[in-house]
Every structure is written in C-alpha cells, then in structure tokens.
Amino acid sequence: MVRIVLLGFMGAGKTTVGHQLAASLGVPFYDLDWYIQMRFHRTVEQLFEERGEEGFREIEHNMLHEVAEFENVVLSCGGGTPCFFDNMEYLNSNSETVYLKAEPEVLAMHLKMGKVARPLIKGKTEEEAMELAKKELGERAVKMASRKVEPKGFFGKLFSQPVWEVTAAVDEPDVYERTAP
C-alpha cells in the first residue's frame, strides 16, 4: 500500500510535485484544500472569512482524518495542516510524510506567481510575505516529517523536474534526510 503525504510551506510545490508523483506511481492524487472545497462547496478563503482560522482548522482536521485513510494515494496538505491538533502525529502514524523544503525567496516567488488567493498572505506585500515565510519556516513541522526533500537545481526553480526524478526523491533513501518523528 502506498500512502504518501506531502508537507511544506505554502508555495513549496506540494500540489505540483504531488500530481507528478501520483501519476508516476499510478495512484490518485488528492490536495486537502481542494478536497475541503469540494465537500463544503466553499473556497478556503470563504471558509476562513466565515468561520475564522480556528473554524477552518477544525474542518481541515476532520477532513484530514477522512482523506488520510484512503489507500494507494498521494496527498498534499495545506502549509498549516501539520501545525494544528494532532495532525502531524496522526500522519506519521499511518503514512509516509515528506517535507518539501524551499528557501524563503523561492516561496515568495511562487506565492507571487500563484493564482489562488491565500488567506494568510492576503493583502501582504512581497516583503511581508517573505518575512512571514522566514518566520514560519522555523516553526513548522519539518522536524517531525518522516522524510525531508530539499529541491536542488532546476527542481527547486519551478518544479519542472521529470516525473522519474520526483519519484526517485521518494524511493531512494539517500536523496533525503531522515528525521525523527
């Protein structure tokens, strides 16, 4: 059974890498935010506005427990998912968690290019978004993920890496650093 969960800050490339990885493994791909939006018929931004961050995180927690039970799947989680409730412990107990690390400058570039509104950076300047990325990166669940992948070369630029290389990043232990849960 394959159950791989991609973690990382918003803009790290979880969805892009997740699609490629799932296709190469021949399994479905789910993005937790998209799953939530389909179930609630609201965007993440609308849920934040209607219920506040605490209300959204409760929905996210419940939907995570639902979708993370699927077998033979690649799942990408929102950047904040591992930071709330017991989400990280739960993911580590029933899946292979992979943290996609990206430098703050790369994150800021991806967020600037992103077409989707992100509630936590809405209305922030590029500099404010980069400062948030720097601050939050130090506080995220990177130490708790079972594996950490640091994009290198052109993989780190726009995640245009061929599928076989993305798959290798998950299949070959020497490509990533093992971290203790």
Side-chain angles (χ1 to χ4, degrees):
M1 179 191 65
V2 174
R3 187 181 295 132
I4 299 170
V5 178
L6 301 177
L7 308 168
F9 197 73
M10 58 182 151
K14 300 177 301 286
T15 300
T16 301
V17 171
H19 277 292
Q20 292 179 356
L21 181 59
S24 71
L25 296 173
V27 299
F29 170 74
Y30 290 92
D31 178 287
L32 183 59
D33 285 347
W34 293 351
Y35 187 80
I36 291 168
Q37 290 174 163
M38 296 304 293
R39 291 288 307 273
F40 284 82
H41 305 285
R42 300 263 187 283
T43 66
V44 169
E45 185 176 12
Q46 288 170 326
L47 290 169
F48 259 81
E49 288 172 4
E50 294 169 5
R51 299 175 186 227
E53 184 175 12
E54 186 175 323
F56 172 76
R57 297 300 178 188
E58 193 170 312
I59 291 169
E60 179 183 59
H61 172 74
N62 293 334
M63 295 297 97
L64 173 66
H65 279 258
E66 184 174 306
V67 75
E69 291 297 320
F70 296 172
E71 293 184 356
N72 298 317
V73 66
V74 173
L75 169 67
S76 70
C77 292
T81 305
C83 303
F84 295 90
F85 304 104
D86 67 342
N87 293 347
M88 196 66 233
E89 293 83 6
Y90 173 73
L91 289 171
N92 277 332
S93 71
N94 73 358
S95 61
E96 186 69 29
T97 55
V98 179
Y99 181 82
L100 298 181
K101 182 181 179 199
E103 295 301 320
E105 296 77 17
V106 173
L107 295 173
M109 180 182 73
H110 288 182
L111 295 173
K112 184 178 176 184
M113 291 185 327
K115 296 176 182 148
V116 178
R118 298 176 188 263
L120 293 178
I121 62 166
K122 186 177 181 179
K124 292 192 178 351
T125 66
E126 188 174 335
E127 292 78 26
E128 290 170 329
M130 190 175 322
E131 283 306 311
L132 175 68
K134 287 178 182 176
K135 176 183 178 279
E136 294 291 323
L137 283 174
E139 300 172 10
R140 295 292 167 157
V142 60
K143 293 180 182 138
M144 296 175 68
S146 56
R147 298 172 191 242
K148 179 172 71 174
V149 176
E150 184 167 356
K152 302 223 186 302
F154 63 93
F155 177 63
K157 292 191 188 327
L158 294 175
F159 296 93
S160 59
Q161 178 176 3
V163 171
W164 65 267
E165 290 183 39
V166 174
T167 306
V170 174
D171 290 339
E172 298 173 12
D174 62 334
V175 175
Y176 43 69
E177 171 184 325
R178 191 91 167 139
T179 56

